[in-house]
Amino acid sequence: ELARGWKDDPDTLAILKQLAQSDDNRGGRYSAVQELARGWKDDPETLPILKQVAQFDDNWAGRYLAAQELARAWKDDPDTLAILKQLAQSDDDGDLRYLAVQELARGWKDDPDTLAILKQLAQSDDNWDVRYSALQELARGWKDEPGIFELLCDFAITHRFKSQLIFPKNYRQTALKIMLKQYPDRPKTLEILRDRFANDPDEEVRQFAQKKLTELGNL
């Protein structure tokens, strides 16, 4: 309420800075970070506070919000990219790695490290949602890169469909959709589609494969 109703009071900014950095309540720090980023972007202390929170706050939601604000409002700051790379590769929280994957792929596609980081996460991250997000971004932005199609093939067959997001997704089916969109002319795409129709343990995937095979005249 201070941020929204008393933005021009000289004490409001000082209070928000204090809360963002040292409040014992995680929700209080989160709210203060949000208000600073959106209402005091040009204050010289806002950016350093966001960097600190993104890297070191013990609340994943605070790190998530700060990293998101950095990626969208301070893209040109040289530390933003380094922070996102760090989060993508080593943060303990899967949601932070998931966010970093999306921001790197969409905001720093031409950075030489982005492709390597996404490949690494797509193949070996212990969170299925992070792996899938990395794979999805690779198929969207680097579809002709060697090995990307093969990763999708593996995903379409072996993903166990145990999503860790609040709203689970059937990633085997989604992998098939990407293959049909990005690689419709590859024989392996049709081969795997037939295999999923015959062998997938999930009825939804089998029905999807049947529908697509019928549309393609290959049932």
Side-chain angles (χ1 to χ4, degrees):
E1 293 301 330
L2 283 172
R4 296 172 191 182
W6 290 270
K7 187 176 186 296
D8 296 328
D9 186 279
D11 291 334
T12 296
L13 177 57
I15 291 170
L16 290 175
K17 288 178 181 178
Q18 176 188 349
L19 293 174
Q21 296 176 90
S22 60
D23 193 79
D24 290 336
N25 183 282
R26 294 175 178 180
R29 295 199 306 275
Y30 179 95
S31 296
V33 166
Q34 186 175 52
E35 297 298 346
L36 282 175
R38 299 178 184 182
W40 286 269
K41 181 179 182 295
D42 296 327
D43 185 86
E45 293 184 25
T46 295
L47 178 56
I49 289 173
L50 287 178
K51 290 178 182 179
Q52 175 190 351
V53 172
Q55 296 176 88
F56 305 117
D57 198 274
D58 61 4
N59 178 20
W60 75 267
R63 296 201 309 281
Y64 188 104
L65 173 66
Q68 188 175 56
E69 295 293 345
L70 286 172
R72 298 178 184 182
W74 285 274
K75 185 178 185 296
D76 296 329
D77 186 88
D79 290 335
T80 296
L81 177 57
I83 289 170
L84 289 173
K85 288 179 181 179
Q86 174 194 341
L87 294 175
Q89 295 177 286
S90 61
D91 197 90
D92 291 336
D93 190 274
D95 289 325
L96 264 295
R97 300 197 302 278
Y98 185 93
L99 170 72
V101 162
Q102 294 183 315
E103 297 296 348
L104 285 173
R106 298 175 189 187
W108 288 269
K109 183 178 185 295
D110 297 328
D111 184 85
D113 291 333
T114 296
L115 176 58
I117 291 171
L118 294 185
K119 279 185 174 180
Q120 175 195 347
L121 294 175
Q123 295 177 80
S124 61
D125 196 273
D126 60 6
N127 183 303
W128 274 107
D129 296 317
V130 175
R131 289 180 65 182
Y132 178 75
S133 179
L135 183 61
Q136 188 176 45
E137 296 298 343
L138 286 169
R140 180 184 291 123
W142 293 269
K143 65 183 292 286
D144 297 321
E145 182 70 22
I148 304 306
F149 176 70
E150 288 72 20
L151 282 174
L152 272 167
C153 292
D154 181 67
F155 224 90
I157 295 172
T158 64
H159 189 278
R160 300 187 190 91
F161 185 40
K162 189 178 180 182
S163 177
Q164 290 147 312
L165 290 176
I166 295 174
F167 301 104
K169 298 178 182 178
N170 193 321
Y171 283 157
R172 290 199 304 278
Q173 179 175 321
T174 309
L176 289 173
K177 289 180 181 179
I178 295 174
M179 292 168 67
L180 287 165
K181 179 180 179 180
Q182 302 284 38
Y183 309 95
D185 299 326
R186 296 203 183 186
K188 190 75 172 177
T189 297
L190 185 58
E191 178 185 329
I192 291 179
L193 195 62
R194 286 172 173 160
D195 176 77
R196 293 300 84 198
F197 168 55
N199 301 310
D200 199 276
D202 189 293
E203 183 180 358
E204 182 181 347
V205 178
R206 295 196 304 273
Q207 290 178 350
F208 172 80
Q210 180 182 28
K211 177 183 177 183
K212 291 303 176 182
L213 286 168
T214 302
E215 292 174 358
L216 294 169
N218 281 284
L219 187 61

